[in-house]
Amino acid sequence: ISCTIPSSIVPSLSVAISESTNYADTYGGYIQNKSKLQIELTPSLAYGSPIISYSTLVGGISYSESSVTTDVLKESGNSITVASSIKDKRGRGASIEKTITVKPYSDPVVDKLTVNRCDSDGGNNDQGEYIKVGFSATVSSVDSKNTAAYKLLYKKTSDSSYTEQNLSSYANKYSVVDGSYIFAADGGASYDVKLQVTDAF
């Protein structure tokens, strides 16, 4: 007796996508270079035929487990595909594609930093008793939901600790071009100057 299993007898698949950091809840999407997906593949067997392979493809990287934690998402866009599939011992399978939103993000960047001696009004003077710091910086806005903070640190080279100055006038500005700050400086000393730019990440 030859028995044939109908082509309609196939497994089914459900896929759940989540994220341990909950960035999507806060920012309306996953975050490029920060988010990792947690993907759970749950099959329903076709008359008991066991699943012999799992596959999930995200951002060009393939995973072969039923429970997947992806690498950090490198792509951004409104239609990033998560493609999952299974195959059972009969060679029959099921597949599901879902799309997710990944918000563009990169770490804060200091594009320019200049430090010059000056007078109290900011006019250049190599012998001035003040120092003018000029800077440009960029922070990813993430749909204006990110934060941006700027801090200047300076000290005499001979000192061990820095004076910290929050540049509150630039707070939450995602692009600063030719920002500046002037502080009094001993004309007979050299100085070390640092700029810190931080965001919510």
Side-chain angles (χ1 to χ4, degrees):
I1 298 174
S2 177
C3 299
T4 302
I5 300 173
S7 60
S8 60
I9 304 301
V10 295
S12 60
L13 174 66
S14 64
V15 176
I17 301 174
S18 61
E19 178 195 34
S20 60
T21 54
N22 295 321
Y23 288 144
D25 293 340
T26 302
Y27 297 100
Y30 304 108
I31 306 300
Q32 181 184 19
N33 298 320
K34 293 295 180 181
S35 291
K36 293 183 178 182
L37 301 183
Q38 182 66 40
I39 304 172
E40 300 291 338
L41 279 62
T42 304
S44 294
L45 307 184
Y47 289 91
S49 180
I51 303 301
I52 61 171
S53 70
Y54 295 86
S55 177
T56 298
L57 184 65
V58 185
I61 301 175
S62 181
Y63 304 88
S64 58
E65 299 84 23
S66 61
S67 180
V68 171
T69 300
T70 68
D71 293 340
V72 171
L73 299 173
K74 297 297 186 181
E75 298 178 310
S76 65
N78 294 324
S79 299
I80 303 300
T81 300
V82 178
S84 300
S85 62
I86 56 173
K87 183 179 290 186
D88 68 9
K89 200 169 183 178
R90 297 190 182 105
R92 301 184 180 191
S95 61
I96 292 179
E97 283 193 3
K98 292 189 174 185
T99 58
I100 59 172
T101 297
V102 181
K103 303 289 185 179
Y105 174 83
S106 56
D107 291 340
V109 174
V110 177
D111 302 298
K112 182 180 72 172
L113 180 65
T114 60
V115 182
N116 298 290
R117 285 279 178 178
C118 66
D119 296 323
S120 59
D121 61 0
N124 286 338
N125 181 352
D126 291 343
Q127 306 303 317
E129 298 288 331
Y130 294 82
I131 288 178
K132 180 178 180 180
V133 180
F135 67 95
S136 298
T138 306
V139 174
S140 294
S141 71
V142 193
D143 292 342
S144 299
K145 295 178 181 179
N146 198 6
T147 60
Y150 301 83
K151 180 187 290 186
L152 189 68
L153 300 93
Y154 59 90
K155 69 177 182 68
K156 291 181 180 179
T157 300
S158 58
D159 289 346
S160 59
S161 60
Y162 283 88
T163 296
E164 299 186 7
Q165 177 64 50
N166 289 315
L167 305 181
S168 56
S169 60
Y170 298 101
N172 293 326
K173 291 186 177 181
Y174 302 121
S175 178
V176 175
V177 178
D178 294 330
S180 64
Y181 184 79
I182 297 172
F183 63 90
D186 183 348
S190 61
Y191 280 77
D192 299 331
V193 178
K194 298 195 293 187
L195 178 70
Q196 289 183 351
V197 183
T198 56
D199 67 3
F201 298 96

